[in-house]
Amino acid sequence: GAPDPVGVSLRDAITRAVGGNIQLLKQNVALRTSDGNFVAAIGQFDFTLGADASFLHNVTPPINADDHNAGSTNGATFDLILSRALETGGNLTLDLQGRGSKSTQAFTCGSTDMTASCPIYMPSATLTFTQPILRGFGREITEANLRKARISQDLALLNRQAQASNTVRDTIIAYWELAYQTQDLEIQRFSEQLAREQLRTTEVQVQVGKMGDLAAAA
C-alpha cells in the first residue's frame, strides 16, 4: 500500500528544507525586527511638524445708543511649528504664528465712529536653536542608539546567513546520503534476486539428480 517513490532534485530538497526550517523562520523574524529598530533609530532625526488653528467670534451688545464698546470681534490664530533634532545633540525649531482680528467696536478701533471697523494683523516668526555644550554634546552620544541598531541589524543578518548555510549544508549531506542508501538498497535487492534465482536453479538440479546433497547444501 506504500505510494510509489517520487524523484526529488537537490534544488527541490533545499527549497523544502529551507521553507520548513523553524530556526530559519525565527531568524527571518529577528532580521525584520532589527530592520524596524534601525528605521526607528533613524527617525529620531526626522522633521517634526505641528500645527493648530482657532477662530473666535465675540459680540458685545450695546448698553445705550452711545456705547462705544458695543460691537463684534472676529479673531483667528494659526501656529505652525517645524523642529528637528540635530546630530550634535541640539535642536532647531521654526515657529510661525499668525494672529488676526477684525473688530467693529469703536473703542477698540480708537475711533468715535460707531460704524467704524478695523482689522488687526500680528504675524511673527521665531527661529530657535539650542545646543548643549557639556552633557549630551556630540555625535558620539546622539547617534549611539543608531549605531547599536545598525550593529543589531548586521548581527541578525549574519545569524540568518549562518543558519541558512547550515541548513543548506545539512540538506546536501542528507540528500547524497539518501541517494547512496537508495543505490545500496537497489544493489541489495538485485543481490537477493540473484540469490533466489540461484536457489531455484539449485533446487531444480537437485530434483533431476544432477547435484549431490553436499553440493546442494553448499
Side-chain angles (χ1 to χ4, degrees):
D4 295 333
V6 179
V8 178
S9 66
L10 180 58
R11 181 182 295 274
D12 293 338
I14 293 176
T15 301
R16 295 182 183 181
V18 170
N21 188 278
I22 300 299
Q23 297 300 325
L24 191 57
L25 294 178
K26 290 182 179 180
Q27 294 296 334
N28 292 340
V29 174
L31 181 59
R32 289 195 296 269
T33 301
S34 64
D35 291 341
N37 293 335
F38 180 73
V39 174
I42 296 179
Q44 65 179 328
F45 301 112
D46 288 343
F47 284 95
T48 302
L49 179 63
D52 65 83
S54 62
F55 177 78
L56 174 66
H57 178 67
N58 187 21
V59 177
T60 303
I63 298 177
N64 51 52
D66 296 329
D67 188 3
H68 291 78
N69 197 37
S72 63
T73 301
N74 295 326
T77 61
F78 177 77
D79 293 328
L80 179 65
I81 300 176
L82 182 65
S83 62
R84 182 185 186 276
L86 302 177
E87 289 79 357
T88 57
N91 189 78
L92 189 64
T93 303
L94 177 62
D95 187 1
L96 301 178
Q97 297 180 349
R99 302 288 186 271
S101 64
K102 185 176 182 181
S103 178
T104 60
Q105 296 175 329
F107 181 78
T108 301
C109 295
S111 174
T112 58
D113 187 1
M114 300 297 295
T115 62
S117 64
C118 56
I120 300 175
Y121 302 103
M122 294 182 294
S124 64
T126 305
L127 181 63
T128 305
F129 170 72
T130 59
Q131 175 63 56
I133 59 176
L134 294 177
R135 183 179 180 182
F137 175 78
R139 303 175 69 98
E140 291 294 328
I141 297 177
T142 57
E143 295 183 357
N145 292 330
L146 181 60
R147 289 194 300 272
K148 290 192 295 185
R150 184 180 289 110
I151 292 173
S152 299
Q153 185 184 35
D154 294 339
L155 181 60
L157 179 60
L158 292 176
N159 290 335
R160 181 179 179 274
Q161 290 176 346
Q163 184 65 41
S165 299
N166 293 336
T167 302
V168 172
R169 179 202 61 193
D170 296 340
T171 303
I172 293 176
I173 294 175
Y175 182 86
W176 291 115
E177 182 68 23
L178 178 61
Y180 168 77
Q181 295 293 338
T182 302
Q183 295 296 327
D184 184 67
L185 179 60
E186 292 297 327
I187 294 174
Q188 293 182 10
R189 288 177 175 175
F190 183 72
S191 299
E192 181 186 9
Q193 293 178 358
L194 290 179
R196 291 182 180 277
E197 182 64 23
Q198 183 180 3
L199 177 60
R200 187 185 64 82
T201 304
T202 303
E203 290 176 348
V204 173
Q205 291 179 353
V206 171
Q207 291 175 2
V208 299
K210 290 186 177 181
M211 182 176 293
D213 294 340
L214 183 58

